[in-house]
Amino acid sequence: PREIPSNICCMTPKHYGITSPISLAQAKEADLVLTHRLTEALKPYGVFEEELELQRRIHVLGKLNTLVKEWIRDVSETKNLPASVIETVGGKIFTFGSYRLGVHTKGADIDALCVAPRHVERTDFFSSFLDKLKEQEEVKDLRLRFDIDILFARLALQTIPENLDLRDDGLLKNLDIRCIRSLNGCRVTDEILHLVPNIDNFRLTLRTIKLWAKRHNIYSNILGFLGGVSWAMLVARTCQLYPNAVASTLVHKFFLVFSKWEWPNPVLLKQPEDCNLNLPVWDPRVTPSDRYHLMPIITPAYPQQNSTYNVSASTRAVMVDEFKQGLAITDEILQNKAEWSKLFEAPNFFQKYKHYIVLLASAPTEKQHLEWVGLVESKIRILVGNLEKNEFITLAHVNPQSFPGPKESRENTMWVIGVIFKKMEASENLNVDLTIDIQSFTDTVYRQAMNSKMFEADMKIQAMHVKRRQLHQLLPNLVMPKQGLRQMNDSSLDLSLDSDNSMSVPSPTAVPATVPMLTPVKSGPLGPPPSPIAAAASQPEAPAVKRPGSPMQEERKRVKSDAEVFNLYCPSREIKFSLCSQEFTDNTVKCIFPICFVPTVYCHFGTPLFCLQICHLFLA
C-alpha cells in the first residue's frame, strides 16, 4: 500500500470541547442560503445594532476608560506613591456579557468591570470615583440610549498593564472573594470566545437562540430558566460539536442536541481545572448540594460554577418541551416547508393552561415598589419549588414577563404562573390546599425584607387562582384579548388597570368593570399569619346572628343561609357548604368547594372576612 507522508499523518484539526466533534461536514450552498434568510428574518426584531450606535458605545467606553486611569492616578497621588509608579499605574475598563460576546441588541446595557491596582481600595471606588463621575459635565450631558453597569476588582498588582489577560488564573491569588466574583463575568466571557471554532457563526447562532428564548418566555435566570451566559454556553457547545457548520445548521443542531440531552449530565466547554486556590467549585463528587442540580451548565473559567442552579423540575420540563418544538420547526425550515419567522412566533402562554396563579406585589411609592418587586421576583422560584412538591401538581410554569397590577393608590406588579394538576381517576373533583405552599413563600419574602431592613409597612404580596377564561379581567387587552368570553354577574366588582405602565410590557388598556377585586392580605410582620392566596368581594356584611350557646342545629341553619347568600355573589354558582365532620370549636365551619384547585378553608364567623366573602376563583 502507498505510504502516507508523515507530515500529513500528523495533521489533525484543532480540538474543541471535551469530546470529539459529531460532524466535520463543511457548509453547502443551501446552508449558506438558509443562513442569509435567517439573518434577514432577525432584522425586524432589532437584534442588530446600527454602526452609528456601535461607534457611540465605543466612544463612551473610551471616555470611561480614560476617566478610570485619571482617577487611579489621583488616588495614587493621595497615597503618596512615587512619581515613577504613578505614571505607569494604569487601570482599565473591561467589558463582559452580551456586549463582549458581540450579540447585544439595540439599546442594551453594557456590563463593565473596572480593574485597579492593589493600593486602590473598594471604598475608593464607591466614593471618590463616584464623585469624579458626578463632576464630569460630559457625563451629565451625555444623551445615552443605554446604561453601563460597572463592577470593581482590585488586583494584587502594583500596576495594571494594557495587555492584561484576565483569563490568567494566577491573578486570583490573594484576592478578596468579592473581587474574584467581579472578575468572573469577564473571565467566563473571554473563555467562551476562545472555546468556539468560528466566532461569527457562534454570534449569529446565539442571536437567534436568544431571540427565540425571549419570544418563548424561557429567558430568565432569576425565575428558573436560563440567562444570557447559559444560552451562550449551550450555543458554544453546539459549535464545538459541529465546528464547520454555519448558523442555519447550528440552530437546527442546537435543538437536536439539547432536546435529546440526558439531564442532569452537565454541559462542559472544557475539562475543569484545579488551580489549588481552595475556592469552591461545582463538583457533585465533593459537594452534596451539587448533586441536586437538574440542568447543570458549568462555566469554563476557574472557579467553575453551575450557571443554572435556579432551574427547577418545571422550568426544565418547559425548556425541554420548547427544544423539541424548536427541532420540529427547524426540520420544516431546512426542508423549505416553513420560513424562519415561524421559529420566532410567540406562543400564547395564556391559552396554554386551564389554571393560573396570579401573584401581585404592591407598595405605596415608586421607589419602594422597585425594591419590593425586585425582591419578590427573586423569590418566585421558591414558590414554584413549593408548588412542584405538592403531590397534586404536575407542573408550575411562571411567565418571565411581568404586568401592571390593578389601578389603586399604590404601585402594583403582577406575575402569572400556569399550573397543571394531576389527573385523578377516582374522583371528578379535586380539592387542593395550597395554603402551606404559599405561606412558606410569603414568609420567606417578608423575612428577607425585614433582615435587609428594606421592609415598609404597606409592602404586600397577594395571590389568587384564576381560570383561563377569567384572565382577560386582570391582564391588558394587548396581552389577553377578549374573545367569546362569558359575561360575569353584574354584582362582580370593578378592577381597572392603570394605563401607565413603567414595566417593559405592552401598555394596558381599559378593562371592563366586571372584575373581582383584590384586597390587601394582612401578613408577615404586619399582623396575623396571611391567607396566602386571598381575594375578597365587598358584599354587604351579613347580619349578626345570635347564637344561644353553640347548638349544632343553629349552626346548620347558619351555614345553609350563608350558602344561599353567597350564591348571589359567586359568578359560577358552583358553591356548596358542608359541616366539619369533627365537633365545632370556636364557631369554625369547614367550607367545601366542589371544583378543581380550591383548598379546604377554615373560616371564623366572628371576623369580617368569612365564607361569604371567598369567591371560588381564589384561595384563602
Side-chain angles (χ1 to χ4, degrees):
R2 187 175 59 180
E3 185 177 346
I4 300 176
S6 59
N7 63 330
I8 296 179
C9 189
C10 296
M11 291 175 60
T12 57
K14 183 178 179 181
H15 184 67
Y16 292 92
I18 62 172
T19 63
S20 300
I22 294 176
S23 172
L24 294 173
Q26 299 290 333
K28 300 178 181 177
E29 182 64 28
D31 300 328
L32 299 176
V33 171
L34 283 170
T35 299
H36 175 72
R37 292 178 185 172
L38 172 60
T39 303
E40 294 301 313
L42 289 172
K43 288 180 179 179
Y45 295 97
V47 299
F48 298 107
E49 191 172 48
E50 296 178 359
E51 184 63 26
L52 181 61
E53 293 295 323
L54 180 59
Q55 291 303 318
R56 182 179 286 113
R57 288 178 185 268
I58 294 173
H59 172 74
V60 170
L61 286 171
K63 290 287 186 180
L64 183 61
N65 194 53
T66 301
L67 196 64
V68 165
K69 293 180 184 297
E70 293 176 358
W71 165 68
I72 291 177
R73 282 199 296 269
D74 294 342
V75 172
S76 302
E77 290 177 356
T78 61
K79 298 189 177 183
N80 300 318
L81 265 68
S84 58
V85 175
I86 293 176
E87 289 301 318
T88 60
V89 72
K92 191 174 181 180
I93 286 288
F94 293 85
T95 59
F96 60 100
S98 62
Y99 179 78
R100 176 70 180 95
L101 289 171
V103 296
H104 62 283
T105 57
K106 292 180 180 179
D109 297 349
I110 294 179
D111 296 312
L113 171 68
C114 173
V115 176
R118 62 192 178 198
H119 61 271
V120 179
E121 303 286 344
R122 181 173 291 269
T123 54
D124 296 327
F125 177 75
F126 290 104
S127 56
S128 59
F129 181 67
L130 182 60
D131 294 338
K132 191 173 185 66
L133 278 177
K134 293 177 180 178
E135 293 171 0
Q136 304 301 311
E137 289 297 326
E138 188 175 8
V139 171
K140 292 179 182 178
D141 297 335
L142 201 57
R143 297 295 182 263
L144 292 178
R145 298 184 182 180
F146 53 87
D147 295 327
I148 302 179
D149 300 325
I150 309 176
L151 302 179
F152 175 79
R154 168 196 179 206
L155 300 185
L157 300 175
Q158 187 176 25
T159 62
I160 304 299
E162 279 297 313
N163 61 349
L164 180 66
D165 185 358
L166 295 181
R167 292 188 302 143
D168 182 2
D169 294 331
L171 295 175
L172 303 182
K173 293 180 180 179
N174 304 316
L175 285 195
D176 180 273
I177 187 62
R178 294 173 296 178
C179 292
I180 293 176
R181 289 170 180 163
S182 296
L183 288 167
N184 193 52
C186 289
R187 287 167 52 80
V188 168
T189 304
D190 288 351
E191 281 287 0
I192 291 174
L193 291 175
H194 280 82
L195 290 169
V196 294
N198 185 301
I199 291 179
D200 290 336
N201 290 338
F202 164 75
R203 284 173 173 164
L204 184 55
T205 306
L206 181 55
R207 287 184 188 276
T208 303
I209 296 303
K210 288 182 68 173
L211 175 61
W212 165 81
K214 290 176 181 178
R215 297 284 293 171
H216 286 250
N217 290 312
I218 54 174
Y219 191 106
S220 176
N221 178 60
I222 198 171
L223 291 176
F225 295 102
L226 304 190
V229 68
S230 298
W231 291 115
M233 287 189 286
L234 291 187
V235 171
R237 185 68 185 120
T238 307
C239 292
Q240 291 177 341
L241 295 173
Y242 301 89
N244 298 323
V246 292
S248 59
T249 303
L250 288 170
V251 171
H252 176 255
K253 297 303 184 184
F254 172 90
F255 293 119
L256 175 64
V257 170
F258 294 110
S259 64
K260 300 181 183 298
W261 194 272
E262 295 183 357
W263 305 105
N265 288 328
V267 175
L268 295 163
L269 297 182
K270 59 183 285 190
Q271 287 291 353
E273 300 173 354
D274 187 1
C275 298
N276 297 318
L277 296 179
N278 295 321
L279 295 174
V281 298
W282 185 86
D283 189 346
R285 298 169 301 178
V286 177
T287 310
S289 60
D290 291 346
R291 301 168 193 167
Y292 298 96
H293 293 176
L294 300 178
M295 199 175 182
I297 302 173
I298 310 306
T299 56
Y302 180 85
Q304 298 84 8
Q305 302 295 321
N306 176 22
S307 66
T308 58
Y309 60 87
N310 284 342
V311 170
S312 68
S314 289
T315 54
R316 186 181 70 177
V318 169
M319 286 187 284
V320 170
D321 184 62
E322 291 289 353
F323 291 153
K324 293 178 180 178
Q325 293 184 38
L327 177 61
I329 293 173
T330 51
D331 279 338
E332 294 180 6
I333 293 172
L334 295 188
Q335 297 170 19
N336 292 317
K337 295 180 180 179
E339 299 296 329
W340 283 108
S341 57
K342 185 175 181 180
L343 184 65
F344 308 124
E345 291 177 358
N348 193 335
F349 175 83
F350 305 104
Q351 291 293 332
K352 189 173 183 179
Y353 303 103
K354 291 183 179 180
H355 300 276
Y356 295 86
I357 292 176
V358 176
L359 190 65
L360 178 67
S362 60
T365 67
E366 183 177 357
K367 182 178 182 298
Q368 293 173 354
H369 177 251
L370 288 174
E371 294 179 347
W372 186 234
V373 164
L375 175 60
V376 173
E377 184 177 46
S378 70
K379 300 301 177 185
I380 291 178
R381 59 187 175 87
I382 296 177
L383 173 58
V384 172
N386 292 344
L387 295 174
E388 289 175 347
K389 295 173 185 176
N390 191 298
E391 60 178 326
F392 299 110
I393 293 179
T394 302
L395 183 139
H397 179 187
V398 57
N399 188 337
Q401 180 65 72
S402 59
F403 302 93
K407 184 178 180 180
E408 295 176 357
S409 59
R410 48 197 296 118
E411 301 286 335
N412 297 279
T413 297
M414 289 193 301
W415 295 268
V416 184
I417 304 173
V419 180
I420 296 178
F421 292 93
K422 291 182 179 178
K423 295 181 179 179
M424 306 298 291
E425 298 178 358
S427 61
E428 296 181 4
N429 298 318
L430 177 66
N431 296 322
V432 181
D433 188 351
L434 300 181
T435 303
I436 296 177
D437 303 330
I438 307 299
Q439 180 76 60
S440 174
F441 163 69
T442 56
D443 287 349
T444 300
V445 175
Y446 281 116
R447 189 184 308 114
Q448 179 154 337
M450 295 187 71
N451 290 341
S452 61
K453 298 182 180 179
M454 66 163 284
F455 181 78
E456 298 293 340
D458 289 327
M459 291 178 171
K460 301 184 186 300
I461 311 172
Q462 302 168 64
M464 61 179 173
H465 165 253
V466 180
K467 285 190 174 181
R468 179 168 55 200
R469 65 176 179 269
Q470 288 128 359
L471 277 174
H472 75 286
Q473 301 162 357
L474 297 173
L475 298 174
N477 287 341
L478 290 177
V479 176
M480 191 65 198
K482 298 174 293 179
Q483 295 179 351
L485 292 164
R486 188 172 57 185
Q487 185 69 22
M488 297 189 73
N489 195 302
D490 291 339
S491 61
S492 299
L493 301 175
D494 179 32
L495 177 63
S496 56
L497 295 177
D498 195 342
S499 59
D500 295 328
N501 179 14
S502 61
M503 308 298 290
S504 58
V505 294
S507 299
T509 56
V511 174
T514 56
V515 189
M517 183 176 182
L518 291 173
T519 58
V521 178
K522 294 182 179 180
S523 55
L526 302 181
S531 297
I533 300 186
S538 58
Q539 296 99 340
E541 191 165 332
V545 177
K546 185 177 181 181
R547 303 176 187 174
S550 57
M552 185 67 70
Q553 188 175 11
E554 289 293 318
E555 288 293 347
R556 290 185 183 277
K557 292 179 181 179
R558 169 79 178 198
V559 172
K560 181 179 179 182
S561 173
D562 287 344
E564 291 173 353
V565 177
F566 184 83
N567 255 338
L568 298 177
Y569 294 93
C570 178
S572 73
R573 307 193 180 207
E574 294 177 324
I575 300 300
K576 293 180 182 178
F577 284 76
S578 65
L579 293 178
C580 183
S581 58
Q582 302 177 358
E583 286 189 6
F584 281 95
T585 58
D586 193 25
N587 295 326
T588 300
V589 171
K590 184 178 182 182
C591 312
I592 304 299
F593 290 50
I595 58 175
C596 290
F597 193 81
V598 180
T600 299
V601 185
Y602 291 88
C603 311
H604 294 271
F605 280 113
T607 61
L609 295 178
F610 51 94
C611 301
L612 292 183
Q613 297 172 297
I614 300 177
C615 178
H616 82 291
L617 301 180
F618 308 104
L619 303 178

